[in-house]
Amino acid sequence: MSTPHVVVVMGVAGTGKTTIGPLLAALLGVPYAEADDFHPRANIDKMSAGIPLTDADRLPWLDAIGAWADRRAGLGGVVSCSALKRAYRDRLRAAAPDVVFVHLTGDRALIEDRMSHRQGHFMPTALLDSQFATLEPLQADEAGVDVDVSGAPEAIAERAMAALVALPDPAV
């Protein structure tokens, strides 16, 4: 493939997007961007208070991530973003048509356990149910792969890399 894609590492809170994203970016030799850094302060305040975001809350956040991905078109990059709904992924693709998704998946109990051990993160474990209720997994017509989050972060990143390379139109 002549131009590197931007990879969006997606999934519910606690799947390890912020851990796996930089590891995958290092394997690909491209920059990493943390989706949480694109949230307006009002969104962080809402989530910190245990209030789920609405679709309207998410639009400026998704647009900012999409703009970053578009600026990285042809250069490559990795960005974490929950991208839980198809409509959110469609919005990202509208801004950056060649994005490829790595959907981090896992058992709810494992994810909740990991969330309960995080320190200093604004997303409370109480919002995990709303995350799973909102999640619309990748569809067959979406460029992307599912990667299980069990195991060590390095192994997960390696599985993600292998899955990307195995895509019919490789993302790397």
Side-chain angles (χ1 to χ4, degrees):
M1 190 154 101
S2 61
T3 59
H5 285 280
V6 172
V7 177
V8 177
V9 179
M10 64 167 283
V12 300
T15 53
K17 296 181 295 290
T18 301
T19 301
I20 304 308
L23 292 172
L24 183 58
L27 290 172
L28 294 169
V30 296
Y32 169 74
E34 168 56 52
D36 289 343
D37 295 340
F38 293 92
H39 271 300
R41 182 80 230 166
N43 285 5
I44 292 172
D45 291 345
K46 226 176 163 175
M47 290 183 286
S48 296
I51 303 167
L53 298 179
T54 66
D55 284 350
D57 294 329
R58 288 185 180 92
L59 295 182
W61 174 65
L62 291 166
D63 291 344
I65 294 167
W68 182 88
D70 183 53
R71 288 191 302 276
R72 297 298 313 162
L75 303 171
V78 174
V79 61
S80 60
C81 175
S82 53
L84 298 178
K85 288 185 178 180
R86 170 71 186 248
Y88 305 162
R89 298 187 299 272
D90 288 345
R91 192 168 186 104
L92 293 172
R93 275 191 293 271
D98 291 330
V99 296
V100 176
F101 294 89
V102 170
H103 179 196
L104 299 179
T105 64
D107 175 76
R108 189 193 184 291
L110 171 66
I111 294 167
E112 184 173 15
D113 181 62
R114 288 183 179 174
M115 282 184 79
S116 70
H117 290 94
R118 293 199 295 197
Q119 303 220 356
H121 196 278
F122 59 81
M123 176 66 88
T125 305
L127 290 181
L128 188 56
D129 287 335
S130 73
Q131 293 263 300
F132 273 105
T134 302
L135 177 63
E136 296 172 1
L138 286 174
Q139 300 300 303
D141 65 331
E142 295 184 89
V145 296
D146 292 331
V147 177
D148 181 73
V149 296
S150 59
E154 294 77 11
I156 298 165
E158 290 284 347
R159 281 198 303 271
M161 180 75 167
L164 289 169
V165 169
L167 283 174
D169 179 17
V172 293

